[in-house]
Amino acid sequence: MAALMVLGYHYLTLRDGWGDDPQAFSPGLYHLAQFGWLGVEVFFLISGFVICMSAWGRTLGDFVKSRVSRLYPAYWVAVILTASVLTLWPCVRSADSLETVLTNLTMLQQGVGVSDLDDVYWSLFVELKFYLLFALVVYKGVTYRRCVLFCGLWTVAGVVAYKADTSFLSVWAVAPYSPYFIAGIAFYLMHRFRPTMLLWAIVTVEFLLAQHYVKGRVVMNLGDKAATAHDWPARIGVVMAFLLMAVIALGLFDGVRWRWLSRAGSLTYPLYLLHMYIGFTLIALLRHRLPAPVLLLSIIALMLVLSYAVNRWVERHVGVWLRNGIDKGLQEMRRGSREGPSPGRPGAAWAPRRQRVTPTDEGDGEKSLARAERVDRAEKESDRVGTLS
């Protein structure tokens, strides 16, 4: 639903592709869809919940492997397809340059000052910041206490960033969006353990902060029309999103096991990545040939089919290939970190040698021997675990 909200906002309220204000042909749908950008806020709220859940009990290597294999396959396809469409039919936007396209393939373009090939990519950079920050928790080991501490520190950083006047803190605090990630983490802790006053306090603070940033988000997304538009629909949307996550956190939806939901969920990410400028280009090319309702429904159907194809034949296969490749690289890194340089290789002369046990008396000898045996067992166990992982 969140993905369809964003799609509706782009197709029904933005003039890109239509060449005129879409309100002219569908005032009712326009007013219904003009707050569809809230779907991104819902994404962030869900992301806090799901990332905390999926990272529990995992190592940092497992976390990196899962995030890279999840994000990049569909993203690479989306960049290539969008660049191809914008190059062949630059009627709405051009692909700018080969440098822009290649830099966008890294997903780090905003960090180096390169424009997004498609405007929807902005939220991915916000997600990446969240992953990098939460990776600190994963590195130490995800626990209840560390998650609560993370929520508190990130909240303080967002509040301080406004007055600190430092770009570094502002970049990483991502204050307009961090309340959703933090609330999602607190909701998951409720779901995994039980609701407490502390967790409800975290959710309440983040909800109030989210409401504080709603006005700015309305101005950002509605532009000149924000002066005459009411912001209460957006505020109600945030309330509904938090209420829905609360219901999930309390376990009231645990019995829902509809199989089609997982299929619909698997289409969400590629649909979000593909729909915007490919859809705008199709609207610009066909708007004079087809009635607007027929054109919209046809493009939405095409985007869903394309999203299914990307999920079925790209995300699954390329994702597995990426996971296996990263896993092999991590195993090699662990092996190299344990063993050090091999004889005959550069730096072998500096390889550390095991210290000889030279007991001063019989008692010390027995203790030293026992200690050496424990070290050997620990190293063997480490090798076994590294091989299994």
Side-chain angles (χ1 to χ4, degrees):
M1 290 300 296
L4 292 176
M5 285 170 60
V6 176
L7 184 146
Y9 165 69
H10 289 151
Y11 286 175
L12 297 172
T13 71
L14 302 184
R15 63 180 67 237
D16 305 68
W18 296 107
D20 198 0
D21 194 340
Q23 187 175 2
F25 71 83
S26 181
L29 286 176
Y30 176 88
H31 290 296
L32 182 65
Q34 67 177 338
F35 292 100
W37 50 267
L38 281 168
V40 177
E41 271 75 353
V42 178
F43 290 156
F44 294 156
L45 190 58
I46 295 172
S47 184
F49 187 101
V50 173
I51 295 304
C52 186
M53 175 178 64
S54 61
W56 209 281
R58 287 190 172 188
T59 64
L60 181 59
D62 293 334
F63 180 71
V64 171
K65 178 174 62 176
S66 68
R67 291 300 88 207
V68 171
S69 62
R70 177 70 182 96
L71 289 184
Y72 276 94
Y75 177 75
W76 286 332
V77 172
V79 170
I80 294 171
L81 288 179
T82 303
S84 301
V85 169
L86 297 183
T87 301
L88 294 172
W89 299 284
C91 49
V92 177
R93 170 186 281 191
S94 67
D96 193 13
S97 66
L98 180 61
E99 178 188 351
T100 298
V101 176
L102 295 178
T103 307
N104 269 255
L105 288 171
T106 67
M107 206 184 289
L108 305 175
Q109 60 272 11
Q110 292 183 34
V112 295
V114 175
S115 60
D116 291 318
L117 184 67
D118 193 307
D119 289 348
V120 299
Y121 298 166
W122 73 268
S123 65
L124 301 181
F125 199 58
V126 177
E127 285 274 352
L128 285 178
K129 292 177 186 177
F130 167 52
Y131 296 161
L132 287 172
L133 290 174
F134 198 71
L136 299 175
V137 181
V138 179
Y139 175 73
K140 297 295 291 183
V142 183
T143 64
Y144 193 130
R145 178 178 296 180
R146 287 171 182 153
C147 287
V148 170
L149 181 62
F150 175 82
C151 291
L153 290 176
W154 200 8
T155 301
V156 171
V159 174
V160 171
Y162 180 74
K163 290 290 187 180
D165 194 24
T166 164
S167 57
F168 179 82
L169 187 58
S170 298
V171 165
W172 288 102
V174 285
Y177 313 111
S178 60
Y180 299 97
F181 293 111
I182 297 170
I185 293 172
F187 278 131
Y188 176 68
L189 294 177
M190 292 184 190
H191 183 75
R192 184 178 181 90
F193 299 98
R194 63 184 181 87
T196 64
M197 184 176 294
L198 174 62
L199 295 177
W200 281 120
I202 293 174
V203 169
T204 302
V205 170
E206 305 311 323
F207 169 76
L208 295 175
L209 289 174
Q211 290 287 348
H212 168 73
Y213 293 112
V214 163
K215 184 64 176 180
R217 290 285 287 149
V218 170
V219 173
M220 184 186 302
N221 286 279
L222 298 188
D224 296 337
K225 296 176 182 177
T228 57
H230 297 288
D231 60 6
W232 61 264
R235 297 187 183 280
I236 292 178
V238 173
V239 171
M240 293 177 63
F242 271 75
L243 286 177
L244 178 61
M245 290 303 296
V247 171
I248 294 172
L250 296 176
L252 300 182
F253 283 163
D254 286 356
V256 177
R257 291 290 184 269
W258 303 331
R259 295 184 61 182
W260 65 269
L261 282 175
S262 60
R263 173 61 62 192
S266 67
L267 304 183
T268 299
Y269 183 52
L271 177 64
Y272 178 75
L273 294 175
L274 293 166
H275 79 274
M276 191 172 184
Y277 275 96
I278 296 177
F280 284 161
T281 302
L282 292 174
I283 291 173
L285 293 173
L286 302 173
R287 68 175 186 263
H288 298 304
R289 301 183 183 184
L290 293 173
V294 175
L295 178 57
L296 277 175
L297 292 176
S298 300
I299 292 176
I300 292 173
L302 175 63
M303 291 299 136
L304 289 172
V305 172
L306 189 58
S307 300
Y308 173 80
V310 171
N311 172 253
R312 178 67 179 82
W313 289 293
V314 176
E315 286 193 290
R316 296 186 186 181
H317 299 291
V318 179
V320 171
W321 172 75
L322 267 180
R323 281 194 297 274
N324 292 337
I326 295 173
D327 190 46
K328 290 179 181 178
L330 291 173
Q331 288 184 30
E332 183 65 25
M333 182 180 67
R334 295 186 187 111
R335 247 192 323 268
S337 298
R338 286 196 303 269
E339 296 173 358
S342 300
R345 295 182 183 177
W350 299 97
R353 299 176 60 187
R354 179 174 295 181
Q355 185 178 358
R356 258 185 98 182
V357 178
T358 54
T360 56
D361 54 44
E362 185 177 356
D364 289 342
E366 291 177 356
K367 293 179 181 178
S368 301
L369 182 60
R371 190 182 307 114
E373 289 176 350
R374 286 198 300 271
V375 170
D376 286 338
R377 284 198 300 271
E379 289 182 350
K380 291 178 181 178
E381 180 65 17
S382 176
D383 290 339
R384 187 184 70 83
V385 173
T387 303
L388 289 175
S389 63

